[in-house]
Structure formats: C-alpha cells, structure tokens
Amino acid sequence: MLIRRDELRLVVTTGLTNALGLLAPLGFGFYATLAVLAVGTGTYGNSLRLGRQRLLGTLLGAAVLVVTKECLRELPLALALGLALGLLRALGEWLGLRVGYKVGGLVLVMGWLVHGDDLDWWIPLRLFWTCVGILMALLSLRLFWPSQAVTQTRSQWNVLLGSLAEGLEAAAAQLYLSGATAKQGHAAKPTSAATPTTQADPQHRRTVELRRQLGLLRRGRPMVEAELGDHPSRHPLLRGFSLLEDACSSLIGALDTLERQPPPLGQVASLAALRLAEAELLEAAATQLGQWSRIVLQPGESLRPPPPFQAPASWSVADHWLRDPSFAAMDLGRLQRIARRLMACQQVLSCLLHCETRWRQLVP
C-alpha cells in the first residue's frame, strides 16, 4: 500500500522532532513529538487552529493546576482533582476551547499525580516543548510538500473562469457564423440546417465539464475553510469565492441556454442587429471573465475587484430593434428562440454587474 505524501510528511516531521527532543539537553522532549502528531493535519490553517487550541489548553491546564494545587491541598485527592477538572471545563468553555480539553486535563492530572513536587520546572518545559512541536508542524506544512487548499482553489478558479470565457467566445463566434450564413441566401440553408446538430454534442460536453469543475470547487470548500482558520465565513477571501461560485453557476446556466437555442437565421436587418449585439456582449463578457481569472491567481487576503464591466453600446440599443414590424411576420417558435437567447444574454450581463457590485463591497 502506497503512503500518501501527507502521511510521509508527518512521519518525517515526527522523526525529526523526536530526534531533536532526544539530542537536546532538556528533558521531556517527547511532548514536542506529541504536539506534532496532534496538530499535523495536512493543511496549514487547520494546523494553526489546532496549535492555538493545544497551546491554550496547555496554558489553561497549567494555570488551573497551580491554583488548585495550592487552594485544594487539604481536600481528599479524588474530590480536589474532580473540582479542578470541573473548573478547567468551565474556564475552557468560557474561552471557547473546542479541542484543547484533553491536553489541559492531561496537564492537570499529571501535575497532581506525577509532578506535584516539580511544577516549577516541569510546567515551563512542557510549554516549551509544546511550542516547539507546533512550530515544527507548521514549518513542515510550509516547507515540506506544502498542502495549501487556498492555492489549489485559486488555480481551479482560474481554470474554470478561463473555460467559461472560452464558452462565451464560442457562442459569440456561432453568432458571427450564423450572420455570415444568412447572407448567403436561400442556397446556404440546407448546409446551415445541419449546423445545430453538428455542434450540439461539443457544446453539451462543454457545459457538462464546466459543471464538473464547479462541483469540484464546491466539494473542496471544507478544505479551504479549514485552511483559513477560525470563523472562515467572515474571511474576505472565502466570501469572494462564494461570489464567484454563485456567478459561475448562473453563467453556466445562461451558456447552456445559448447553446441549446441556436441563433435564428434571416436577412432581416433587425435580426442581424440583434445577432451583432449578442455577439459583442458575449465577447465583452468573455474578456471580463479573463480578467477575473487573472485576479484569482494573485496572492492576498482578499480578491482585488476587477474594473467595472461595461456593456457594449450595441446591446444598450437592442430593444430598439425588437420594435421592428418584421418580427410580427415570424412564426412563434422562432420568436421564442429569440426571446430565450435575449433573456440568457441579459442573465450574463446582470450576473456580471451584480457579482462585481458585491465584490467591491468586500474590499474596504
């Protein structure tokens, strides 16, 4: 059975820490090894969170030990130790401890039963080696096969946004192609009629792949939350990822609609103007998504907002062409196709504007 690199990293770090504890002139070096095993979880943020909890639990256990050892010395051992553990539990709840109770209780019990006469030097050594073990675990995660969920998620967002931009560019290219086909007149109609069927499978595969990539990002969200430490929902980077997730879900739906509704052919001037407006809007949206994909790769505690998206002038006057009397002569199916495509394009525009408005609110 192959050993995963996370397990190998933990084995190597534990061995190095144990060797350091054995070679050091101080005693109780095994506490550093125990700390490495407790906090070396595979992600830097989660290890940092566990390290803080373990250090706080050790400090709390030592403080309760010193106080109760002095104040409860006249009570029977079982009663005194029970009261001390109860006090530890109450203080830990007040301080927000989640995983530090065990080490705090261990410090308290060992101090009472084993090191009762050596607290003045045992407690500092325990704290020192605990800090060494936490630092070794964190350094290993940074230097030895670093496992950083945030960095991996940034790369995945870059790929998804780039693929989505390519899909919008392909939809715009289809509009230009349909416009060129319409100019060829009735002789080109038999050839163009096969175009939607020919392109259906590649287009369907594109949206399926986009949804698969988005699903991978959603499944990796818990790792990102662990990487960002305590209260990740308040972190501007995770909130930025949430905005991108909502935006991409909406954009993929709009792209799927555009691919399922081929642009209608025709030599009517208003119809040609609408095709041009759609194509220019989709091209502009693809360019904007390209800027998003570059931004997500930039390091930082938050995602820098992109320049505001501006819809092309041709789209702002698209409603003028809808009032053309020539649309009254079209059949219902053709009008429905035009309406669905226009609604999908408007969805792309609204999605970009809404996402960027909320995006700018995340950065002070």
Side-chain angles (χ1 to χ4, degrees):
M1 180 179 179
L2 294 178
I3 300 178
R4 296 184 306 174
R5 68 178 192 177
D6 290 348
E7 298 169 346
L8 180 59
R9 177 177 54 216
L10 182 60
V11 169
V12 172
T13 306
T14 303
L16 291 175
T17 306
N18 191 49
L20 177 63
L22 292 175
L23 295 175
L26 303 175
F28 302 102
F30 61 88
Y31 287 130
T33 306
L34 293 176
V36 170
L37 293 172
V39 305
T41 59
T43 63
Y44 185 85
N46 201 34
S47 293
L48 184 61
R49 179 180 63 85
L50 292 175
R52 288 198 301 262
Q53 289 274 317
R54 188 172 184 85
L55 184 58
L56 182 58
T58 303
L59 288 170
L60 182 60
V64 173
L65 171 63
V66 172
V67 173
T68 56
K69 186 73 174 175
E70 182 67 24
C71 297
L72 304 178
R73 65 172 62 187
E74 302 299 331
L75 296 178
L77 178 61
L79 178 59
L81 191 56
L83 291 174
L85 289 172
L87 178 61
L88 174 68
R89 176 72 183 184
L91 291 175
E93 186 69 25
W94 179 65
L95 292 174
L97 277 182
R98 292 295 177 266
V99 294
Y101 290 113
K102 291 183 179 180
V103 65
L106 187 61
V107 170
L108 185 59
V109 172
M110 290 187 65
W112 270 89
L113 302 179
V114 181
H115 302 286
D117 299 328
D118 307 318
L119 296 183
D120 55 341
W121 56 268
W122 178 74
I123 290 177
L125 279 178
R126 171 104 195 200
L127 289 172
F128 170 76
W129 285 117
T130 298
C131 292
V132 170
I134 294 172
L135 289 175
M136 289 291 290
L138 295 177
L139 284 174
S140 70
L141 290 168
R142 285 295 192 190
L143 303 177
F144 182 56
W145 279 338
S147 177
Q148 300 181 27
V150 171
T151 302
Q152 296 172 0
T153 300
R154 287 179 181 272
S155 299
Q156 290 175 332
W157 275 118
N158 175 261
V159 173
L160 175 58
L161 291 170
S163 300
L164 191 51
E166 291 176 359
L168 293 176
E169 289 177 347
Q174 185 184 16
L175 285 161
Y176 288 127
L177 178 62
S178 64
T181 303
K183 292 180 180 179
Q184 297 176 5
H186 297 285
K189 287 184 179 179
T191 304
S192 61
T195 301
T197 304
T198 305
Q199 295 180 347
D201 289 340
Q203 291 170 349
H204 177 69
R205 287 195 296 268
R206 180 186 293 118
T207 53
V208 169
E209 175 63 20
L210 289 172
R211 289 193 172 98
R212 186 192 68 82
Q213 294 177 20
L214 184 59
L216 289 176
L217 284 163
R218 287 171 172 165
R219 288 192 291 273
R221 186 184 182 93
M223 295 296 295
V224 176
E225 292 176 349
E227 180 80 12
L228 296 177
D230 295 332
H231 307 294
S233 59
R234 304 177 187 175
H235 200 288
L237 187 60
L238 187 64
R239 294 171 67 188
F241 288 158
S242 297
L243 285 181
L244 291 178
E245 183 178 319
D246 294 340
C248 286
S249 178
S250 180
L251 289 172
I252 292 173
L255 180 61
D256 185 56
T257 300
L258 291 172
E259 292 175 342
R260 292 177 182 274
Q261 302 291 328
L265 301 179
Q267 295 177 296
V268 181
S270 56
L271 190 57
L274 285 178
R275 283 197 298 262
L276 178 63
E278 288 183 38
E280 292 182 349
L281 175 65
L282 296 177
E283 280 186 329
T287 301
Q288 189 73 357
L289 289 181
Q291 296 190 46
W292 290 16
S293 67
R294 291 187 291 271
I295 288 174
V296 297
L297 288 179
Q298 298 175 0
E301 292 296 317
S302 61
L303 299 177
R304 177 180 58 83
F309 177 69
Q310 298 290 336
S314 58
W315 180 257
S316 60
V317 297
D319 59 338
H320 166 75
W321 300 106
L322 291 175
R323 293 191 287 268
D324 193 309
S326 60
F327 283 97
M330 295 184 185
D331 60 273
L332 180 59
R334 200 177 190 191
L335 291 174
Q336 288 177 336
R337 190 192 306 175
I338 295 172
R340 292 191 187 102
R341 290 189 61 87
L342 292 177
M343 291 176 63
C345 289
Q346 184 61 37
Q347 181 178 339
V348 171
L349 175 60
S350 300
C351 177
L352 293 179
L353 296 178
H354 178 68
C355 180
E356 291 184 353
T357 299
R358 295 178 59 194
W359 195 337
R360 288 188 288 271
Q361 294 173 354
L362 296 180
V363 180

